[in-house]
mmCIF file with all atom_site columns, all heavy atoms in Angstrom:
data_model
loop_
_atom_site.group_PDB
_atom_site.id
_atom_site.type_symbol
_atom_site.label_atom_id
_atom_site.label_alt_id
_atom_site.label_comp_id
_atom_site.label_asym_id
_atom_site.label_entity_id
_atom_site.label_seq_id
_atom_site.pdbx_PDB_ins_code
_atom_site.Cartn_x
_atom_site.Cartn_y
_atom_site.Cartn_z
_atom_site.occupancy
_atom_site.B_iso_or_equiv
_atom_site.pdbx_formal_charge
_atom_site.auth_seq_id
_atom_site.auth_comp_id
_atom_site.auth_asym_id
_atom_site.auth_atom_id
_atom_site.pdbx_PDB_model_num
ATOM 1  N N   . GLN A 1 6  ? 106.622 88.565 66.126 1.00 0.00 ? 6  GLN A N   1
ATOM 2  C CA  . GLN A 1 6  ? 105.995 89.799 66.617 1.00 0.00 ? 6  GLN A CA  1
ATOM 3  C C   . GLN A 1 6  ? 104.721 89.420 67.384 1.00 0.00 ? 6  GLN A C   1
ATOM 4  O O   . GLN A 1 6  ? 103.817 88.826 66.808 1.00 0.00 ? 6  GLN A O   1
ATOM 5  C CB  . GLN A 1 6  ? 105.662 90.749 65.457 1.00 0.00 ? 6  GLN A CB  1
ATOM 6  C CG  . GLN A 1 6  ? 105.087 92.074 65.944 1.00 0.00 ? 6  GLN A CG  1
ATOM 7  C CD  . GLN A 1 6  ? 104.813 93.046 64.816 1.00 0.00 ? 6  GLN A CD  1
ATOM 8  O OE1 . GLN A 1 6  ? 104.884 92.698 63.649 1.00 0.00 ? 6  GLN A OE1 1
ATOM 9  N NE2 . GLN A 1 6  ? 104.497 94.274 65.168 1.00 0.00 ? 6  GLN A NE2 1
ATOM 10 N N   . ASP A 1 7  ? 104.718 89.746 68.648 1.00 0.00 ? 7  ASP A N   1
ATOM 11 C CA  . ASP A 1 7  ? 103.598 89.354 69.511 1.00 0.00 ? 7  ASP A CA  1
ATOM 12 C C   . ASP A 1 7  ? 103.362 87.841 69.403 1.00 0.00 ? 7  ASP A C   1
ATOM 13 O O   . ASP A 1 7  ? 104.260 87.072 69.693 1.00 0.00 ? 7  ASP A O   1
ATOM 14 C CB  . ASP A 1 7  ? 102.335 90.159 69.158 1.00 0.00 ? 7  ASP A CB  1
ATOM 15 C CG  . ASP A 1 7  ? 102.572 91.657 69.353 1.00 0.00 ? 7  ASP A CG  1
ATOM 16 O OD1 . ASP A 1 7  ? 103.200 92.029 70.364 1.00 0.00 ? 7  ASP A OD1 1
ATOM 17 O OD2 . ASP A 1 7  ? 102.183 92.440 68.455 1.00 0.00 ? 7  ASP A OD2 1
ATOM 18 N N   . ASP A 1 8  ? 102.185 87.421 68.949 1.00 0.00 ? 8  ASP A N   1
ATOM 19 C CA  . ASP A 1 8  ? 101.921 85.984 68.873 1.00 0.00 ? 8  ASP A CA  1
ATOM 20 C C   . ASP A 1 8  ? 102.131 85.415 67.473 1.00 0.00 ? 8  ASP A C   1
ATOM 21 O O   . ASP A 1 8  ? 101.727 84.277 67.195 1.00 0.00 ? 8  ASP A O   1
ATOM 22 C CB  . ASP A 1 8  ? 100.467 85.700 69.307 1.00 0.00 ? 8  ASP A CB  1
ATOM 23 C CG  . ASP A 1 8  ? 100.279 85.939 70.797 1.00 0.00 ? 8  ASP A CG  1
ATOM 24 O OD1 . ASP A 1 8  ? 101.263 85.745 71.548 1.00 0.00 ? 8  ASP A OD1 1
ATOM 25 O OD2 . ASP A 1 8  ? 99.183  86.317 71.214 1.00 0.00 ? 8  ASP A OD2 1
ATOM 26 N N   . LEU A 1 9  ? 102.715 86.183 66.598 1.00 0.00 ? 9  LEU A N   1
ATOM 27 C CA  . LEU A 1 9  ? 102.960 85.688 65.243 1.00 0.00 ? 9  LEU A CA  1
ATOM 28 C C   . LEU A 1 9  ? 104.406 85.218 65.084 1.00 0.00 ? 9  LEU A C   1
ATOM 29 O O   . LEU A 1 9  ? 105.342 85.937 65.424 1.00 0.00 ? 9  LEU A O   1
ATOM 30 C CB  . LEU A 1 9  ? 102.688 86.806 64.225 1.00 0.00 ? 9  LEU A CB  1
ATOM 31 C CG  . LEU A 1 9  ? 103.018 86.478 62.766 1.00 0.00 ? 9  LEU A CG  1
ATOM 32 C CD1 . LEU A 1 9  ? 102.134 85.337 62.260 1.00 0.00 ? 9  LEU A CD1 1
ATOM 33 C CD2 . LEU A 1 9  ? 102.859 87.706 61.891 1.00 0.00 ? 9  LEU A CD2 1
ATOM 34 N N   . HIS A 1 10 ? 104.546 84.009 64.564 1.00 0.00 ? 10 HIS A N   1
ATOM 35 C CA  . HIS A 1 10 ? 105.879 83.454 64.292 1.00 0.00 ? 10 HIS A CA  1
ATOM 36 C C   . HIS A 1 10 ? 105.908 83.003 62.838 1.00 0.00 ? 10 HIS A C   1
ATOM 37 O O   . HIS A 1 10 ? 105.032 82.268 62.408 1.00 0.00 ? 10 HIS A O   1
ATOM 38 C CB  . HIS A 1 10 ? 106.178 82.257 65.188 1.00 0.00 ? 10 HIS A CB  1
ATOM 39 C CG  . HIS A 1 10 ? 106.093 82.561 66.656 1.00 0.00 ? 10 HIS A CG  1
ATOM 40 N ND1 . HIS A 1 10 ? 107.213 82.829 67.430 1.00 0.00 ? 10 HIS A ND1 1
ATOM 41 C CD2 . HIS A 1 10 ? 105.035 82.663 67.479 1.00 0.00 ? 10 HIS A CD2 1
ATOM 42 C CE1 . HIS A 1 10 ? 106.831 83.074 68.667 1.00 0.00 ? 10 HIS A CE1 1
ATOM 43 N NE2 . HIS A 1 10 ? 105.518 82.994 68.726 1.00 0.00 ? 10 HIS A NE2 1
ATOM 44 N N   . ILE A 1 11 ? 106.926 83.436 62.132 1.00 0.00 ? 11 ILE A N   1
ATOM 45 C CA  . ILE A 1 11 ? 107.097 82.978 60.757 1.00 0.00 ? 11 ILE A CA  1
ATOM 46 C C   . ILE A 1 11 ? 108.500 82.373 60.647 1.00 0.00 ? 11 ILE A C   1
ATOM 47 O O   . ILE A 1 11 ? 109.481 82.976 61.083 1.00 0.00 ? 11 ILE A O   1
ATOM 48 C CB  . ILE A 1 11 ? 106.951 84.125 59.745 1.00 0.00 ? 11 ILE A CB  1
ATOM 49 C CG1 . ILE A 1 11 ? 105.573 84.766 59.861 1.00 0.00 ? 11 ILE A CG1 1
ATOM 50 C CG2 . ILE A 1 11 ? 107.182 83.624 58.318 1.00 0.00 ? 11 ILE A CG2 1
ATOM 51 C CD1 . ILE A 1 11 ? 105.403 86.025 59.036 1.00 0.00 ? 11 ILE A CD1 1
ATOM 52 N N   . THR A 1 12 ? 108.578 81.176 60.103 1.00 0.00 ? 12 THR A N   1
ATOM 53 C CA  . THR A 1 12 ? 109.882 80.554 59.898 1.00 0.00 ? 12 THR A CA  1
ATOM 54 C C   . THR A 1 12 ? 110.069 80.272 58.418 1.00 0.00 ? 12 THR A C   1
ATOM 55 O O   . THR A 1 12 ? 109.111 79.980 57.688 1.00 0.00 ? 12 THR A O   1
ATOM 56 C CB  . THR A 1 12 ? 110.028 79.230 60.675 1.00 0.00 ? 12 THR A CB  1
ATOM 57 O OG1 . THR A 1 12 ? 108.945 78.368 60.304 1.00 0.00 ? 12 THR A OG1 1
ATOM 58 C CG2 . THR A 1 12 ? 109.977 79.490 62.179 1.00 0.00 ? 12 THR A CG2 1
ATOM 59 N N   . VAL A 1 13 ? 111.311 80.364 58.003 1.00 0.00 ? 13 VAL A N   1
ATOM 60 C CA  . VAL A 1 13 ? 111.661 80.046 56.611 1.00 0.00 ? 13 VAL A CA  1
ATOM 61 C C   . VAL A 1 13 ? 112.692 78.929 56.664 1.00 0.00 ? 13 VAL A C   1
ATOM 62 O O   . VAL A 1 13 ? 113.803 79.125 57.176 1.00 0.00 ? 13 VAL A O   1
ATOM 63 C CB  . VAL A 1 13 ? 112.243 81.269 55.897 1.00 0.00 ? 13 VAL A CB  1
ATOM 64 C CG1 . VAL A 1 13 ? 112.596 80.919 54.451 1.00 0.00 ? 13 VAL A CG1 1
ATOM 65 C CG2 . VAL A 1 13 ? 111.266 82.437 55.927 1.00 0.00 ? 13 VAL A CG2 1
ATOM 66 N N   . VAL A 1 14 ? 112.313 77.768 56.182 1.00 0.00 ? 14 VAL A N   1
ATOM 67 C CA  . VAL A 1 14 ? 113.210 76.606 56.224 1.00 0.00 ? 14 VAL A CA  1
ATOM 68 C C   . VAL A 1 14 ? 113.547 76.211 54.795 1.00 0.00 ? 14 VAL A C   1
ATOM 69 O O   . VAL A 1 14 ? 112.672 75.908 53.982 1.00 0.00 ? 14 VAL A O   1
ATOM 70 C CB  . VAL A 1 14 ? 112.547 75.430 56.968 1.00 0.00 ? 14 VAL A CB  1
ATOM 71 C CG1 . VAL A 1 14 ? 113.464 74.200 56.913 1.00 0.00 ? 14 VAL A CG1 1
ATOM 72 C CG2 . VAL A 1 14 ? 112.258 75.806 58.412 1.00 0.00 ? 14 VAL A CG2 1
ATOM 73 N N   . THR A 1 15 ? 114.828 76.226 54.521 1.00 0.00 ? 15 THR A N   1
ATOM 74 C CA  . THR A 1 15 ? 115.299 75.921 53.178 1.00 0.00 ? 15 THR A CA  1
ATOM 75 C C   . THR A 1 15 ? 115.853 74.504 53.133 1.00 0.00 ? 15 THR A C   1
ATOM 76 O O   . THR A 1 15 ? 116.659 74.114 53.985 1.00 0.00 ? 15 THR A O   1
ATOM 77 C CB  . THR A 1 15 ? 116.415 76.902 52.759 1.00 0.00 ? 15 THR A CB  1
ATOM 78 O OG1 . THR A 1 15 ? 115.929 78.227 52.903 1.00 0.00 ? 15 THR A OG1 1
ATOM 79 C CG2 . THR A 1 15 ? 116.859 76.659 51.328 1.00 0.00 ? 15 THR A CG2 1
#
Side-chain angles (χ1 to χ4, degrees):
Chain A
Q6 184 177 9
D7 300 317
D8 290 330
L9 175 64
H10 302 261
I11 301 173
T12 55
V13 180
V14 176
T15 305

